[in-house]
Amino acid sequence: AEPDPAVKFVETFIARPVATTLLTFAIALSWFILLAILNPPLFEYFWRYELVDRVASHKHGRSQPF
């Protein structure tokens, strides 16, 4: 029997993209955590210098948002 179109829509356009996105984040996060454990200065550099300072300071020569 043919599945209900609503069920097929949910499976195709909601469940699979959400599942693959969560899997991608899980793989990336585990990789980042491993690198942060093996090299602690990397976490400080990436989190503070590259993310926070880039947005919240003028360190990178960016005085305007765009």
Side-chain angles (χ1 to χ4, degrees):
E2 190 71 25
D4 182 29
V7 172
K8 191 172 183 178
F9 176 82
V10 169
E11 287 177 353
T12 304
F13 294 105
I14 297 174
R16 287 183 186 165
V18 169
T20 54
T21 301
L22 290 175
L23 178 62
T24 301
F25 279 124
I27 292 169
L29 185 62
S30 65
W31 176 81
F32 180 73
I33 290 171
L34 176 65
L35 287 180
I37 290 170
L38 296 176
N39 189 6
L42 174 69
F43 180 77
E44 175 67 21
Y45 169 78
F46 178 74
W47 183 255
R48 170 88 188 222
Y49 182 74
E50 288 295 336
L51 290 178
V52 175
D53 287 347
R54 205 171 275 278
V55 174
S57 75
H58 301 285
K59 231 181 212 183
H60 296 278
R62 297 178 183 201
S63 60
Q64 297 179 1
F66 299 102

